[in-house]
Amino acid sequence: MAETIFDKIINREIPADVVYEDDISLAFKDINPQAPVHLLIIPKQQIATINDIQDDQKELLGHLFTVARDLAKEMGFDETGYRVVMNCGEQAGQSVFHIHLHLLAGKPLGWPPYTDKMKQA
Ligand code: 5GP
């Protein structure tokens, strides 16, 4: 499987602002934040997209969500609200093919991602 920029971050070959790490996951600040808080939570294991998740990796996926939950509490936006997103494939805007949860918070966030203007295009 092709290595991505996130493997280089896991292996400390390129720098990142890491906020959490354990044996199976890593969380760091997005280089191009789309909200006042924009973190990426990734498994250390290389999985390209949601389509590539195996049945025996369900626990790992659940783990990413518990990391998101704990970071939200630690950083103090668990009660005000936050968004967790995982893009899958080209039309969803996935650009790094190593699965990652986006954790966004810090201001009211827009919704929906598919607007009336886009429907007319
Ligand atoms: P995607 O578009 O695949 O859902 O999200 C990939 C995210 O990775 C983007 O939000 C992008 O800003 C972030 N990103 C890409 N390259 C780097 C990098 O080298 N360092 C960090 N911290 N974030 C990155």
Side-chain angles (χ1 to χ4, degrees):
M1 199 184 290
E3 209 181 64
T4 72
I5 195 94
F6 290 174
D7 293 293
K8 290 188 168 35
I9 289 174
I10 292 165
N11 296 326
R12 302 304 201 270
E13 289 162 18
I14 62 164
D17 202 338
V18 172
V19 297
Y20 176 79
E21 181 169 20
D22 60 32
D23 288 349
I24 57 175
S25 70
L26 187 72
F28 51 94
K29 293 184 182 174
D30 195 293
I31 204 166
N32 183 24
Q34 301 301 314
V37 178
H38 187 174
L39 305 176
L40 300 172
I41 305 168
I42 69 172
K44 289 186 173 173
Q45 198 174 339
Q46 210 182 356
I47 304 169
T49 79
I50 294 173
N51 295 332
D52 301 298
I53 295 168
Q54 305 299 306
D55 285 349
D56 64 2
Q57 293 172 321
K58 287 177 188 170
E59 200 174 322
L60 175 60
L61 269 291
H63 182 75
L64 302 183
F65 278 89
T66 58
V67 171
R69 175 202 64 193
D70 292 347
L71 286 171
K73 192 166 177 59
E74 271 172 45
M75 298 175 83
F77 51 79
D78 55 326
E79 296 298 333
T80 47
Y82 55 98
R83 184 169 299 157
V84 175
V85 178
M86 186 179 285
N87 296 320
C88 181
E90 192 185 334
Q91 288 201 343
Q94 185 176 4
S95 59
V96 179
F97 286 83
H98 181 131
I99 59 166
H100 46 281
L101 287 182
H102 294 260
L103 175 57
L104 300 142
K107 284 277 182 193
L109 301 168
W111 190 265
Y114 181 53
T115 62
D116 286 345
K117 200 174 165 194
M118 293 160 98
K119 287 174 196 165
Q120 285 154 17

